[in-house]
Amino acid sequence: MAVTVGGSGSQTCVIGTEHTLLDVNTAGTYSLGLDAVNFANGDYFEVRIKKILKTGGTLRVTYFMSYQDAQSVEDYGKVSVPISNALTDAASLRFTLKQTKGTGRVVDWEVLKFA
Amino acid sequence: MSDFPSRYARLATFSTFDFDASGFDGSLKEQAILTSHAWPVANKAILTPITVRTLFLIRKFWWANGSAVAGNVDVGVYTMGGARLLSTGAIAQAGTSVIQSATPTAGPPWQLMPGSYYLALSASSASATFISTTSPAPREMQTSGFAEAVTANPLPDPITPATMVSNIIPLCGMSDAPVI
């Protein structure tokens, strides 16, 4: 199975703003990875993966995860479960990051595409 | 990431006296005698550490008023690092010897992911009473993970947890149900 980078970057979080990390419009299976090294006590992050179920459909939150405070050095890497897409809408899948508490952090991220 | 099984396993309610509230699987629970006690200091908050094992939807916070009511009450959830996630805001304490509830200012429902948190209650008046226990000594509460904060009504964001000096544990909680 070929594994390629669907997208990557460093997101500077603005408190209360949901940042779109990547929109996907290509069929495949995807997984989001985050680097939590900059998370600190008093921070709170929400991670969402949204998906449409048919062409022209509406994005719905399909997977949600939250992280609070500084993370263990043994757990800086956060990886989502894979999610599949067969559609070609501009935003068939959407990966977002929202920091709601603390000081805005820079979070490195990567979306891998499997096949 | 959340997945289907956790959603169907979620709890309906959670209180400071549940088994997943720290200290209440051992001696503190056995010692607990729930009766009406006055709040120790005006504007103090008591932070009960809780472990949420499955996804929890918060629709209401509730607390148990004692034999006299006074001032305002604020109940909410904090991260262990002190970030306020959700709270009721200042609510006038009303009704003696009843369960009083309030809707969080954000949501509802508000989705709490599995993890460790503080369930906090603060009261603006030392004349306010709550169904609670004063059985454990502060050192027992310290070793069970409790914390407190002064000048904390309404509940501030963030909050700075401090070492327990008081020894009251109020009966309060959060619920997925729209009616308490």
Side-chain angles (χ1 to χ4, degrees):
Chain A
M1 177 189 298
V3 180
T4 57
V5 177
S8 65
S10 294
Q11 179 62 55
T12 300
C13 293
V14 175
I15 302 300
T17 297
E18 183 175 9
H19 301 284
T20 296
L21 303 178
L22 182 70
D23 281 340
V24 168
N25 63 356
T26 306
T29 298
Y30 298 84
S31 175
L32 170 65
L34 298 172
D35 185 342
V37 67
N38 291 332
F39 293 11
N41 286 345
D43 292 349
Y44 192 80
F45 295 87
E46 299 173 346
V47 185
R48 292 177 175 83
I49 301 176
K50 304 176 183 181
K51 176 179 170 63
I52 62 173
L53 296 181
K54 63 179 184 179
T55 299
T58 301
L59 283 167
R60 305 294 187 197
V61 177
T62 305
Y63 291 116
F64 174 89
M65 187 61 191
S66 64
Y67 299 101
Q68 57 174 293
D69 302 327
Q71 302 294 295
S72 162
V73 68
E74 307 293 354
D75 194 29
Y76 281 160
K78 310 294 185 185
V79 179
S80 78
V81 295
I83 186 167
S84 295
N85 169 59
L87 302 176
T88 57
D89 290 45
S92 300
L93 282 180
R94 174 170 289 175
F95 300 86
T96 73
L97 174 65
K98 182 179 183 181
Q99 183 180 357
T100 61
K101 299 290 179 178
T103 301
R105 309 293 177 187
V106 175
V107 180
D108 290 347
W109 61 273
E110 175 188 58
V111 174
L112 291 181
K113 179 177 182 289
F114 304 95
Chain B
M1 295 289 174
S2 62
D3 205 348
F4 293 159
S6 65
R7 295 190 65 87
Y8 291 107
R10 71 175 191 253
L11 298 170
T13 189
F14 198 105
S15 86
T16 48
F17 283 77
D18 279 342
F19 281 96
D20 283 337
S22 287
F24 283 90
D25 53 354
S27 60
L28 287 184
K29 182 183 179 186
E30 293 172 359
Q31 294 174 29
I33 300 170
L34 291 172
T35 187
S36 180
H37 294 283
W39 200 242
V41 179
N43 298 315
K44 175 171 281 191
I46 301 295
L47 285 69
T48 302
I50 61 173
T51 300
V52 176
R53 299 185 187 277
T54 65
L55 184 151
F56 193 98
L57 293 183
I58 303 174
R59 297 178 198 273
K60 289 274 192 180
F61 286 107
W62 57 266
W63 60 94
N65 291 338
S67 57
V69 294
N72 293 324
V73 178
D74 195 352
V75 179
V77 171
Y78 284 88
T79 68
M80 298 303 285
R84 189 186 65 203
L85 299 179
L86 194 65
S87 67
T88 62
I91 303 292
Q93 191 182 28
T96 58
S97 303
V98 298
I99 302 296
Q100 189 176 351
S101 64
T103 302
T105 53
W110 203 92
Q111 183 168 279
L112 196 62
M113 296 300 287
S116 296
Y117 303 90
Y118 283 122
L119 180 55
L121 183 148
S122 73
S124 67
S125 171
S127 298
T129 65
F130 296 89
I131 302 300
S132 52
T133 181
T134 56
S135 297
R139 64 178 177 275
E140 293 175 293
M141 295 179 68
Q142 287 178 244
T143 56
S144 296
F146 288 83
E148 65 176 44
V150 296
T151 318
N153 188 277
L155 289 168
D157 184 21
I159 201 168
T160 302
T163 300
M164 290 299 299
V165 176
S166 302
N167 66 333
I168 188 170
I169 305 174
L171 174 59
C172 63
M174 52 196 186
S175 177
D176 186 7
V179 175
I180 308 298

